[in-house]
Amino acid sequence: MKKAKSRLKIDHNLENSSHSASRIDLGERAKHLPTLIIGLFFAVVLLGLILLIPPAQVKNFILPNSYFPFFITLFLSSFFLLSWFLLDSLIGVWWSLWLTTLVFLRVQQIIFGWPELVFFALGFALGVMVQIWRRQMRLDLVHHQN
């Protein structure tokens, strides 16, 4: 008697690619090396801005009491460095916005209690989770169409 064969086609390449996608190798990081270089450039600019220029000089740059050059370089350096570190620019934007907003509120001397800080952090974490979920849904749709 012959054993019945399954008519379902299994693509072994997709199975192997899903396992390798969960692991981050150095080749993926090396591909995004320009992002790291840009992030380090803005980090050096931010460090120079902090060490060489007095805060009173940048305090009212465009808007009163805004410290605009400081926050723009803080956002750009954290965005590029986090995008390289996390290998995801969308999540890098969320974390950079959260970090920049937190520092901005602290510079403006707005003091958070624990409930406000937890609520603030959970809002941004929820935004990141929604973006991860949307990307996963998009990837699932691509795999189901193949």
Side-chain angles (χ1 to χ4, degrees):
M1 226 186 249
K2 285 186 174 181
K3 190 174 181 181
K5 287 201 267 183
S6 174
R7 289 179 276 176
L8 297 174
K9 293 183 181 180
I10 298 174
D11 190 1
H12 295 288
N13 292 334
L14 281 178
E15 288 178 355
N16 293 337
S17 67
S18 67
H19 293 296
S20 65
S22 63
R23 233 183 35 185
I24 298 173
D25 58 4
L26 292 177
E28 188 70 21
R29 295 220 185 265
K31 188 169 72 171
H32 297 287
L33 199 58
T35 305
L36 175 65
I37 293 169
I38 293 169
L40 290 174
F41 169 75
F42 280 116
V44 168
V45 169
L46 179 64
L47 187 64
L49 187 67
I50 291 171
L51 295 177
L52 301 176
I53 298 175
Q57 205 170 13
V58 296
K59 182 177 182 178
N60 301 318
F61 186 68
I62 292 179
L63 297 171
N65 204 22
S66 68
Y67 298 94
F68 190 70
F70 170 74
F71 287 112
I72 240 0
T73 54
L74 175 68
F75 175 77
L76 290 173
S77 66
S78 62
F79 166 67
F80 284 110
L81 289 174
L82 286 170
S83 293
W84 178 79
F85 181 72
L86 299 170
L87 290 178
D88 190 347
S89 61
L90 194 57
I91 295 175
V93 166
W94 278 99
W95 278 100
S96 299
L97 278 174
W98 185 78
L99 177 68
T100 305
T101 305
L102 198 62
V103 173
F104 176 76
L105 293 174
R106 183 68 184 139
V107 167
Q108 297 299 324
Q109 298 178 350
I110 297 173
I111 298 174
F112 280 136
W114 281 107
E116 293 90 3
L117 187 60
V118 168
F119 183 74
F120 185 64
L122 285 176
F124 275 91
L126 182 65
V128 169
M129 297 298 274
V130 166
Q131 295 303 325
I132 291 171
W133 177 73
R134 286 181 59 202
R135 181 184 322 119
Q136 188 63 37
M137 292 299 289
R138 197 173 15 212
L139 287 175
D140 287 345
L141 287 175
V142 169
H143 286 299
H144 287 296
Q145 289 176 356
N146 288 334

